[in-house]
C-alpha cells in the first residue's frame, strides 16, 4: 500500500512540473501558462541560467532556471521551443524514451535552406524526429501566435490547438498537458500529416485572429478569437500543403 501511495504521489507531483527548453516567445508564453496553472517550471536555453534572470523574476517563485538536461528531466513531458539549428546541440541521449512537445516550425530565413523540407520529402516534425530518433515527438503550439497563447487560454468557448504524432500514448499525454494549460486539442494525425498546421497551410496562425485587416496592419495588437474544436477539425480537413521551397520567411 505504501509503495502504491508513493507512486501516486510521484505521478501527481510530476504532472505539476514542466521543463521548457527555449526562452523565446513561445517558450516564455507556455511558461506563463504553466505558472498561472500553479505548475513548477524549469527553463533552460543555450545561453545558460544567468541569461534567464529577468524572465524568472517575472514568472515568480514557481519558476527557476537550469541547464538543458535538467529541463528535460524536470517533468514528464519537456517542451522543446528552439530553432531547428539548435537540435544537433541538444543532449540527444537525455531525450531517449521521452515524449517531447515540440513547438517548432521551419523558417528558412532563420534556419537556412533544408533540402528535405523544401522538396516536401519530409515534414518539419518528421525532420525533428529524425534528429531525436529515440524521443517521441508530438507537435503542439506551433500553429498559434505567441501573443494569442495567453489571450486564448481558458477562453469561452474553449480554444483548440492541433497536435500530431506517431505514438498514440504520447499524443494522449501531450493532449492532457495542453488541456491543463488551458486549451482543447484536435488530433491532426501522424507526423507525416503535420503539414496541415505548418506555416502557410490552411490551419496556421491566422485561424485564431479576431480582425484580419487589423492583424495585417499590426499583428501584435490583435487580441485573438476563440476557435472551438469542431471548427478546427473542419479547417484541418480543408488545409493544403504549403510550397515550402518557395517560402521567403
Amino acid at each position: 500500500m505504501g509503495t502504491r501511495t508513493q507512486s501516486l504521489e510521484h505521478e501527481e507531483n510530476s504532472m505539476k512540473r514542466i521543463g521548457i527548453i527555449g526562452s523565446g516567445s513561445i517558450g516564455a508564453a507556455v511558461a506563463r501558462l504553466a505558472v498561472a496553472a500553479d505548475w513548477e517550471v524549469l527553463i533552460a536555453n543555450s545561453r545558460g541560467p544567468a541569461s534567464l534572470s529577468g524572465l524568472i523574476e517575472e514568472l515568480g517563485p514557481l519558476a527557476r532556471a537550469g541547464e538543458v538536461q535538467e529541463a528535460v528531466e524536470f517533468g514528464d513531458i519537456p517542451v522543446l521551443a528552439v530553432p531547428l539549428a539548435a537540435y544537433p546541440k541538444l543532449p540527444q541521449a537525455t531525450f531517449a524514451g521521452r515524449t517531447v512537445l515540440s513547438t517548432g516550425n521551419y523558417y528558412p530565413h532563420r534556419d537556412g535552406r533544408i533540402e528535405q523540407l523544401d522538396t516536401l520529402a519530409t515534414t518539419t516534425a518528421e525532420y525533428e524526429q529524425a534528429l531525436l530518433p529515440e524521443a517521441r515527438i508530438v507537435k503542439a503550439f506551433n500553429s498559434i501566435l505567441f501573443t494569442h497563447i495567453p489571450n486564448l487560454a481558458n477562453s469561452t468557448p474553449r480554444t483548440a490547438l492541433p497536435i500530431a504524432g506517431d505514438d498514440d500514448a504520447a499524443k494522449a499525454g501531450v493532449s492532457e498537458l495542453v488541456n491543463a494549460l488551458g486549451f482543447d486539442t484536435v488530433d491532426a494525425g501522424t507526423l507525416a500529416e503535420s503539414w496541415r498546421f505548418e506555416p502557410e497551410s490552411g490551419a496556421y496562425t491566422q485561424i485564431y485572429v479576431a480582425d484580419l485587416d487589423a492583424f495585417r496592419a499590426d499583428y501584435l495588437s490583435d487580441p485573438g478569437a476563440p476557435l472551438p474544436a469542431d471548427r478546427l477539425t473542419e479547417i484541418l480537413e480543408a488545409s493544403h500543403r504549403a510550397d515550402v521551397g518557395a517560402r521567403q520567411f
Side-chain angles (χ1 to χ4, degrees):
M1 182 66 177
T3 302
R4 175 61 177 162
T5 300
Q6 291 172 358
S7 175
L8 289 172
E9 289 176 350
H10 170 73
E11 291 175 10
E12 182 179 349
N13 289 337
S14 63
M15 285 300 294
K16 290 291 186 181
R17 303 175 74 183
I18 186 169
I20 300 173
I21 303 97
S23 58
S25 56
I26 296 292
V30 173
R32 293 183 184 103
L33 292 188
V35 167
D38 292 325
W39 285 44
E40 291 182 74
V41 177
L42 192 152
I43 306 176
N45 64 13
S46 61
R47 299 182 300 278
S51 68
L52 294 165
S53 58
L55 178 59
I56 298 303
E57 182 178 359
E58 174 203 330
L59 292 172
L62 287 175
R64 63 186 176 92
E67 302 293 344
V68 171
Q69 184 164 333
E70 290 181 273
V72 176
E73 298 173 342
F74 190 68
D76 287 340
I77 300 177
V79 173
L80 191 52
V82 299
L84 290 177
Y87 271 67
K89 303 172 185 177
L90 295 170
Q92 189 177 110
T94 308
F95 288 91
R98 292 185 176 273
T99 295
V100 177
L101 191 167
S102 167
T103 73
N105 289 305
Y106 170 45
Y107 301 121
H109 78 278
R110 178 196 67 187
D111 303 317
R113 306 301 319 195
I114 300 174
E115 183 179 3
Q116 302 100 301
L117 302 182
D118 287 344
T119 60
L120 306 185
T122 185
T123 64
T124 301
E126 291 176 299
Y127 183 75
E128 292 171 339
Q129 182 66 79
L131 294 174
L132 293 174
E134 295 184 68
R136 295 184 293 272
I137 296 291
V138 178
K139 298 299 293 188
F141 284 108
N142 63 302
S143 62
I144 184 170
L145 192 68
F146 73 97
T147 52
H148 287 158
I149 291 176
N151 292 348
L152 297 180
N154 300 302
S155 64
T156 303
R158 197 165 166 93
T159 294
L161 302 178
I163 65 171
D166 291 341
D167 184 289
D168 287 342
K171 281 196 286 189
V174 167
S175 182
E176 184 177 350
L177 171 58
V178 172
N179 186 270
L181 296 179
F183 293 90
D184 287 346
T185 60
V186 171
D187 189 340
T190 64
L191 297 180
E193 297 172 288
S194 62
W195 57 263
R196 293 184 182 278
F197 54 102
E198 286 186 352
E200 299 176 295
S201 71
Y204 192 54
T205 53
Q206 292 188 11
I207 62 177
Y208 299 103
V209 166
D211 183 324
L212 195 54
D213 289 336
F215 177 81
R216 288 169 175 160
D218 180 11
Y219 73 96
L220 292 177
S221 67
D222 186 86
L227 183 70
D230 56 352
R231 178 59 184 143
L232 176 57
T233 299
E234 294 172 354
I235 292 171
L236 288 166
E237 290 174 351
S239 184
H240 63 277
R241 192 162 190 180
D243 182 358
V244 178
R247 185 173 296 162
Q248 296 299 311
F249 60 92

